[in-house]
Amino acid sequence: METHYSVLRDVPHEERPRERMMRYGAEALSHAELLAILLRTGTQRQSAVHLAGSILKQCGSLRNLLDMSMEELTAIRGIGPAKAIQLRAGIELGRRITRSRLGDAVTVRKPQDAADYVMEELRYLKKEHFVCLFLNTKNHIIARETLSMGTLNASLVHPREVFRAAIQRSSASIICAHNHPSGDPTPSPEDISLTKRLAEAGELVGIEVLDHLVIGDGRFISLKEQGYM
């Protein structure tokens, strides 16, 4: 007969995620156990581990959890604003660690450098995210910003928004990137059209668009290398 624990303190000591992590290391824990540590507590009916399992079941996979909004998280039974904030903070910290680099600022010398900078952040998202990397005169990345979420089209990404952000950061040039949730980075006609509009606008304002990258699952395509700009 399967045993259910209403709260984490009722779980045998050796089965608690924090104790298991201290004894065996984080690598030994399941996704649900790691989430349970972020959640800290469960509900009156569920332990933190069971609540974490419910979250994973409802979102379908750990990848889908990355892109869940506060509203989507709080729609899950047992997840209030406080727990949703804890999860979002943990996810965002992981993203920032992924983007971070040791030592000096990241220098972009080729499309692969920029793709490596955004790949882990974008490859698993279930919605399209349009991101700009802002560079100085030495091609160092000085900032990044997500400018839109959703299907990429002219109404969501407009050159004025892109270059307003670039001017605010005193950028010498920019690199644009967006993901294809399908995992296939083949550019669409809309991708190509937007790229040409951005390149033309960049010439007018004096901020060069170095490239537009389409990010798939572990793969990318440079529209610069494809001859579209």
Side-chain angles (χ1 to χ4, degrees), residues 61-91:
S61 71
L62 197 60
R63 291 184 179 186
N64 291 340
L65 181 61
L66 294 174
D67 205 31
M68 292 185 75
S69 65
M70 286 285 295
E71 292 75 17
E72 290 171 322
L73 286 170
T74 53
I76 298 173
R77 187 171 184 177
I79 300 296
K83 283 185 168 53
I85 287 170
Q86 288 165 205
L87 289 175
R88 289 301 311 159
I91 291 168

Side-chain angles (χ1 to χ4, degrees), residues 135-226:
L135 290 77
N136 62 17
T137 55
K138 296 182 179 180
N139 278 17
H140 293 165
I141 297 175
I142 55 176
R144 64 162 298 284
E145 183 176 349
T146 299
L147 294 178
S148 79
M149 293 172 55
T151 303
L152 195 62
N153 57 46
S155 65
L156 283 176
V157 180
H158 194 283
R160 67 171 172 266
E161 305 301 330
V162 172
F163 290 101
R164 179 186 295 133
I167 291 168
Q168 288 175 342
R169 291 166 173 78
S170 301
S171 306
S173 59
I174 64 172
I175 294 174
C176 302
H178 79 279
N179 62 302
H180 279 182
S182 66
D184 180 0
T186 302
S188 68
E190 291 77 15
D191 296 340
I192 295 168
S193 174
L194 176 62
T195 299
K196 292 179 178 178
R197 291 177 65 229
L198 289 171
E200 291 169 359
E203 290 180 7
L204 290 175
V205 300
I207 299 176
E208 184 180 3
V209 180
L210 298 179
D211 209 337
H212 182 184
L213 306 178
V214 184
I215 305 297
D217 189 358
R219 300 179 293 155
F220 77 95
I221 283 179
S222 159
L223 274 76
K224 177 84 168 181
E225 291 182 337
Q226 294 292 311

Side-chain angles (χ1 to χ4, degrees), residues 9 11 19 43 48 59 72 110 123 135 139 152 177 214 218:
R9 65 173 176 268
V11 179
E19 281 72 15
T43 67
C59 70
E72 290 171 322
K110 56 186 183 299
R123 65 186 293 187
L135 290 77
N139 278 17
L152 195 62
V214 184

